């Protein structure tokens, strides 16, 4: 069991596995982000990042989670020194075990544990919406060297079309309805308290001192039945969705144990695994479903 401390939004020390236990599981984040930052999308990201592959850049990923984006940066910029920072110790432990060649550190994005003018690049993915904007941007401005680059990535509305085989049954729907009724974890920990629109995000970056602001979008098309997708990658796409549902069940079980019995949790796990096993059999038998998950990731780039 992990006994490290977690620094919450209001400066109070509590257990630092809140995110991985109650919000998004370690494997959910790792498997989904490995797909979103797969090398087949590298050219899109690299064009928007506009970073040198030759220079020995010092790159800090803020809110690195289990390390999938940091791992992609390590592949795409082999001369760079990559540091990943997150407050959740379960994420940091997992990242250290699965992404070699990167330094992973527990720390708070609102109080970065680095001197002024330390990094050439700061980067974050789905972090800005959880931290008060003045703190989020000013801390990055502080630790960046003059001329350093701030990259803020955020998910925008995409397209999700599930295969019929993995659509929720009535039993599952009842479970999720109960979770929505009783599970107030996201409100309790003020998740996504500071959302910004596609126009507000670059304006905020500029207002807090960055210049040369530019924006762009990466389209991540995850469609297992596409003929150009290798079978191993198609399996990863299907199983990433499976893991998201399984971790969501565990999160609900931990959040509202008075409303979810161990037997109900086990029943839900069995249902989830059964329907995703069926989807994989359909794939193996060539029964195309054309289920898809298309993510649109906004990239905002600014210079100190």
């Amino acid at each position: 069991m992990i006994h490290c401390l977690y620094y919450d939004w209001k400066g109070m020390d509590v257990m630092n596995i809140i995110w991985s236990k109650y919000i998004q599981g370690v494997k959910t984040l790792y498997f989904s982000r490995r797909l979103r930052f797969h090398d087949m999308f590298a050219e899109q990201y690299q064009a928007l990042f506009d970073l040198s592959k030759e220079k020995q850049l010092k790159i800090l990923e803020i809110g690195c989670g289990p390390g999938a984006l940091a791992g992609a940066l390590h592949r795409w910029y082999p001369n760079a020194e990559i540091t990943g920072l997150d407050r959740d110790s379960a994420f940091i432990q997992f990242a250290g075990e699965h992404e070699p060649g990167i330094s992973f550190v527990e720390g708070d994005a609102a109080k970065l544990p680095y001197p002024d003018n330390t990094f050439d690049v700061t980067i974050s993915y789905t972090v800005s919406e959880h931290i008060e904007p003045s703190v989020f941007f000013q801390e990055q401005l502080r630790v960046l060297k003059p001329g350093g680059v701030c990259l803020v990535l955020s998910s925008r509305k995409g397209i999700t079309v599930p295969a019929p085989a993995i659509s929720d049954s009535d039993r599952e729907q009842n479970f999720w309805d109960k979770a929505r009724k009783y599970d107030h974890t996201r409100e309790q920990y003020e998740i996504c308290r500071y959302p910004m629109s596609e126009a507000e995000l670059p304006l905020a970056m500029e207002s807090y001192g960055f210049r040369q602001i530019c924006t762009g979008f990466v389209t991540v098309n995850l469609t297992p039945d596409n003929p150009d997708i290798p079978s191993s990658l198609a399996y990863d796409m299907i199983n990433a969705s499976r893991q998201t549902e399984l971790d969501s069940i565990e999160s609900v079980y931990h959040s509202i144990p008075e409303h979810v019995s161990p037997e109900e949790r086990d029943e839900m796990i069995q249902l989830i695994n059964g329907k995703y096993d069926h989807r994989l059999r359909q794939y193996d038998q060539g029964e195309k479903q054309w289920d898809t998950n298309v993510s649109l990731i906004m990239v905002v780039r600014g210079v100190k």
Side-chain angles (χ1 to χ4, degrees), residues 54-281:
E54 286 71 39
K55 291 182 180 179
Q56 295 181 334
L57 300 172
K58 293 187 66 175
I59 301 177
L60 172 66
E61 186 194 354
I62 298 168
C64 66
L69 173 53
L73 295 170
H74 186 54
R75 297 192 303 273
W76 300 344
Y77 304 98
N79 292 324
E81 176 186 329
I82 313 292
T83 301
L85 177 141
D86 202 283
R87 300 179 309 173
D88 192 298
S89 60
F91 289 155
I92 292 300
Q93 180 178 330
F94 184 95
E97 294 170 352
H98 291 80
E99 295 294 343
I102 301 167
S103 174
F104 290 103
V105 178
E106 285 188 39
D108 188 355
K111 191 176 181 181
L112 295 172
Y114 301 104
D116 298 356
N117 307 317
T118 299
F119 293 96
D120 299 291
V121 180
T122 58
I123 184 170
S124 61
Y125 172 57
T126 62
V127 177
S128 62
E129 58 265 42
H130 307 300
I131 302 175
E132 199 282 318
S134 65
V135 175
F136 176 74
F137 285 112
Q138 288 173 1
E139 269 297 273
Q140 293 182 71
L141 194 69
R142 180 184 66 78
V143 301
L144 279 169
K145 300 174 183 177
V149 173
C150 175
L151 297 167
V152 177
L153 283 60
S154 65
S155 290
R156 298 293 147 174
K157 186 176 181 180
I159 301 170
T160 301
V161 180
I166 61 174
S167 296
D168 287 345
S169 64
D170 290 343
R171 179 68 187 89
E172 292 168 86
Q173 190 60 56
N174 290 336
F175 178 87
W176 299 122
D177 287 345
K178 180 166 61 175
R180 280 187 286 272
K181 181 178 180 179
Y182 295 109
D183 186 359
H184 304 297
T185 304
R186 290 177 176 267
E187 293 85 353
Q188 178 183 353
Y189 294 107
E190 300 180 340
I191 304 302
C192 202
R193 184 181 178 185
Y194 305 99
M196 284 185 269
S197 71
E198 292 82 357
E200 291 169 337
L201 190 52
L203 286 170
M205 181 181 280
E206 185 175 34
S207 71
Y208 291 113
F210 288 94
R211 55 191 176 86
Q212 299 178 30
I213 311 297
C214 57
T215 69
F217 296 85
V218 173
T219 302
V220 176
N221 180 1
L222 303 177
T223 306
D225 288 331
N226 267 341
D228 59 343
I229 298 297
S231 59
S232 60
L233 185 55
Y235 263 64
D236 287 346
M237 292 176 183
I238 295 169
N239 281 323
S241 297
R242 180 206 301 260
Q243 191 63 55
T244 297
E245 292 202 45
L246 291 175
D247 280 352
S248 294
I249 292 168
E250 291 295 334
S251 294
V252 170
Y253 176 69
H254 290 305
S255 298
I256 52 171
E258 66 276 16
H259 296 289
V260 179
S261 68
E263 293 76 19
E264 185 176 12
R265 177 194 61 180
D266 293 344
E267 177 193 3
M268 288 297 297
I269 290 172
Q270 184 176 5
L271 288 171
I272 298 301
N273 280 324
K275 69 181 186 180
Y276 278 97
D277 288 344
H278 180 56
R279 174 65 188 100
L280 290 175
R281 285 195 296 272

